[in-house]
Amino acid sequence: MITGGAQGLGEALTTRLLKEGCRVLVADIQEQQIAATVGKLRASFGDKVEGVPCDVTVESDVAALVEKAGPALRGRGYFVANAGILVSGAITEFDVAKWRKVMEVNLVGQMICMKYALRVMERQKSGAYVQINSKSGKKGSFKNSAYAASKFGGIGLVQSAPWKWLHWACGSMPSARANLLDSPLWVNSLFKQYAQNLGISEAAVRQKYIDQVPMKRGCTYDDVCNVVVFLASDQAGYMTGQAINVTGGQEMR
């Protein structure tokens, strides 16, 4: 299962896991985008990919998602919690309703997904829950109080969960990532938000973020997919509760 799986990083993760031989259930709030993505991928992967509408902030939606995926989770099942939103702004001016919405999707939604996914994994004594987090979960960033707070909370959530399941080594691990500068989130939203907040052009915003990375490039979908595939594999069987940096050296803690 991949939440937020119909576009951007979620679509890239879906495609990569299908190539690795998985069956994938794509969950997303965007029904038309689900249909488009699943339709495109079925040309190559047939019925190994399905889609289901799901709002991760609605408990009944998540319960239905996990119930639908139940038969496919027999053996070793993976839940990739990728859904998330970002709204930026100065904390002194931030609309409280928007701040709460970021927390609701990025943190409460993670808790709800974990609640139902881990129930299945506990029964089976196997599985991997991979949370897509952010470098903002380890270090605050300018005018990103809501996003950073939600991501710090996500790491705390994931590091608190494994204790009950350590005897069978549930792979409950967040994957902290860097800036996906070519993703829809950046191209359609963040460049505009940050340009307005910083008073510079969108091109200057892009260069600003590249300049902060020791490896001098933005993060790519493949960079994240490679780590997620590893975390979902038996090779990561002795890892749990880890926040893995995929940041080009920008974050090393």
Side-chain angles (χ1 to χ4, degrees), residues 205-238:
V205 171
R206 182 184 181 88
Q207 192 59 50
K208 171 183 169 65
Y209 278 91
I210 289 174
D211 289 344
Q212 293 173 2
V213 181
M215 295 182 74
K216 298 303 178 188
R217 67 172 178 85
C219 185
T220 69
Y221 291 147
D222 281 343
D223 293 327
V224 181
C225 289
N226 290 338
V227 175
V228 170
V229 168
F230 167 70
L231 292 177
S233 74
D234 291 336
Q235 293 177 328
Y238 200 57

Side-chain angles (χ1 to χ4, degrees), residues 2-253:
I2 301 179
T3 63
Q7 69 172 6
L9 175 61
E11 182 180 356
L13 287 166
T14 297
T15 304
R16 176 62 179 274
L17 289 171
L18 285 165
K19 289 179 179 178
E20 295 288 334
C22 296
R23 298 181 63 87
V24 180
L25 182 59
V26 178
D28 205 291
I29 199 170
Q30 303 176 87
E31 295 190 39
Q32 289 185 335
Q33 190 63 46
I34 293 172
T37 298
V38 170
K40 178 174 64 177
L41 291 172
R42 278 189 169 171
S44 299
F45 301 102
D47 63 2
K48 287 187 176 181
V49 58
E50 294 184 67
V52 60
C54 178
D55 182 339
V56 296
T57 70
V58 178
E59 188 167 359
S60 59
D61 276 16
V62 177
L65 168 67
V66 175
E67 178 67 24
K68 180 176 177 63
L73 287 175
R74 294 194 184 103
R76 185 171 177 85
Y78 316 116
F79 194 109
V80 181
N82 171 67
I85 61 172
L86 191 158
V87 180
S88 67
I91 195 165
T92 51
E93 305 295 331
F94 219 119
D95 180 81
V96 174
K98 291 181 179 178
W99 206 94
R100 284 193 176 118
K101 180 64 175 180
V102 174
M103 298 296 290
E104 189 73 15
V105 175
N106 293 358
L107 184 54
V108 179
Q110 285 281 351
M111 176 269 170
I112 296 171
C113 289
M114 187 175 288
K115 174 180 178 178
Y116 286 92
L118 292 188
R119 284 180 178 179
V120 175
M121 295 176 191
E122 182 178 25
R123 288 198 300 268
Q124 298 179 167
K125 301 294 187 291
S126 68
Y129 184 98
V130 180
Q131 177 196 102
I132 302 300
N133 200 276
S134 170
K135 65 179 178 59
S136 293
K138 293 188 171 184
K139 182 179 180 180
S141 57
F142 183 60
K143 293 189 176 181
N144 268 336
S145 61
Y147 187 72
S150 70
K151 295 301 184 177
F152 267 80
I155 290 178
L157 173 67
V158 142
Q159 291 184 346
S160 299
W163 292 98
K164 180 178 179 182
W165 294 279
L166 283 176
H167 62 285
W168 54 267
C170 169
S172 182
M173 301 157 287
S175 171
R177 59 169 176 77
N179 301 309
L180 287 160
L181 299 180
D182 295 315
S183 68
L185 176 64
W186 279 86
V187 173
N188 298 333
S189 177
L190 294 187
F191 282 135
K192 293 179 178 64
Q193 287 189 55
Y194 292 162
Q196 182 176 8
N197 288 339
L198 298 171
I200 59 179
S201 69
E202 292 184 31
V205 171
R206 182 184 181 88
Q207 192 59 50
K208 171 183 169 65
Y209 278 91
I210 289 174
D211 289 344
Q212 293 173 2
V213 181
M215 295 182 74
K216 298 303 178 188
R217 67 172 178 85
C219 185
T220 69
Y221 291 147
D222 281 343
D223 293 327
V224 181
C225 289
N226 290 338
V227 175
V228 170
V229 168
F230 167 70
L231 292 177
S233 74
D234 291 336
Q235 293 177 328
Y238 200 57
M239 296 174 64
T240 194
Q242 301 302 303
I244 309 299
N245 295 319
V246 190
T247 64
Q250 189 174 2
E251 178 56 55
M252 298 185 184
R253 293 172 295 174

